[in-house]
Amino acid sequence: MMHTTAAGTCPPLSAEHFQRQALLCQWLATLLARELDEPTLQAYLAGDAAPLLDWLAEDGLAAEARRLRQALATLSLLAQPRLELAADFATLFLGDARHCAAPYASCYLSERGGFMAEPAQRMAERLADAGVAPAEDFNEPADHLAVMLDYLAGGYRQLAETRTPAERDSALAGIGQFLRQELCSWLPAFSQRAARLAPASAFYPALAALTEAFCRHRLAEAETT
């Protein structure tokens, strides 16, 4: 996904703020769903990710945004950036769940650390209740991080459409509960696993750290409102 709107501040807890969070959730979900294709990679190398990273920096995630920005800047130093990034994606996210940074909640929250456990069932129920389903070309369990971030984006879009303080507070409480129970409960371990691996580029470890910090930041916002 590419977005080129100029970054700028927006009032906290405004419709614009929540729309921005939805967009950032979807961007992170896109990056975690599959390897970057060549056109998207070239767009990012040309600076198309800068506005999104600026938004994150404005919102208190300057260190994490700077780390991902620096990782993007060094991709051009790789002999074959797209192929080496694809190899990194496979190493970090598609390997043995016991040793890689598997992007599934079940691998961290279930008793045996396996796939398709209670977190996947809970997430599937959430999706069914919301009347949504993962894209047909994305054949992953419901507790894949990209699916969960896309669901969170939908929550922020709904939040942006609330009309009264009571509606906003109720919707924000629901988002806070989802973040606390279903994302922030395992993303630190996910980020730590990614940091321990040694891919060709720092891109995906930086992305994992940014995603964890973003969700933690959103939880703090929901709980202090």
Side-chain angles (χ1 to χ4, degrees):
M1 188 206 74
M2 291 170 282
H3 189 80
T4 56
T5 301
T9 58
C10 64
L13 306 186
S14 64
E16 182 184 357
H17 173 78
F18 295 134
Q19 289 165 351
R20 178 178 294 189
Q21 305 319 314
L23 182 58
L24 289 168
C25 284
Q26 286 195 309
W27 182 54
L28 294 172
T30 299
L31 294 177
L32 288 158
R34 52 178 58 90
E35 304 94 330
L36 292 179
D37 59 28
E38 188 65 29
T40 303
L41 174 59
Q42 292 304 319
Y44 288 161
L45 291 177
D48 275 21
L52 297 163
L53 293 168
D54 288 345
W55 284 353
L56 290 160
E58 289 171 6
D59 202 25
L61 299 173
E64 293 83 3
R66 180 169 58 252
R67 180 180 170 188
L68 187 60
R69 197 190 305 269
Q70 290 171 342
L72 278 169
T74 60
L75 288 178
S76 59
L77 301 177
L78 298 176
Q80 299 183 15
R82 189 187 66 79
L83 293 179
E84 294 186 59
L85 267 184
D88 285 352
F89 187 93
T91 298
L92 267 73
F93 303 138
L94 304 180
D96 187 326
R98 295 170 297 178
H99 305 296
C100 75
Y104 308 95
S106 291
C107 294
Y108 304 86
L109 300 181
S110 62
E111 184 176 347
R112 296 184 179 180
F115 293 96
M116 299 293 290
E118 293 86 354
Q121 296 168 11
R122 289 198 304 269
M123 192 63 211
E125 290 172 1
R126 286 181 180 272
L127 294 172
D129 290 344
V132 298
E136 292 183 359
D137 63 345
F138 189 64
N139 187 26
E140 293 284 358
D143 64 337
H144 189 288
L145 181 51
V147 176
M148 300 176 84
L149 288 170
D150 191 65
Y151 174 84
L152 182 61
Y156 276 114
R157 285 192 295 270
Q158 291 182 353
L159 188 53
E161 296 172 357
T162 56
R163 293 291 178 263
T164 68
E167 289 177 346
R168 186 203 67 183
D169 291 347
S170 177
L172 196 56
I175 283 176
Q177 181 187 48
F178 177 70
L179 282 161
R180 182 175 58 257
Q181 295 179 353
E182 307 294 356
L183 283 170
C184 292
S185 53
W186 63 277
L187 283 180
F190 166 75
S191 177
Q192 289 165 13
R193 285 194 189 184
R196 290 198 298 266
L197 298 171
S201 165
F203 179 78
Y204 285 115
L207 175 62
L210 175 60
T211 302
E212 188 262 323
F214 174 80
C215 289
R216 179 166 29 86
H217 204 66
R218 301 276 65 78
L219 175 60
E221 176 182 80
E223 292 186 334
T224 57
T225 299

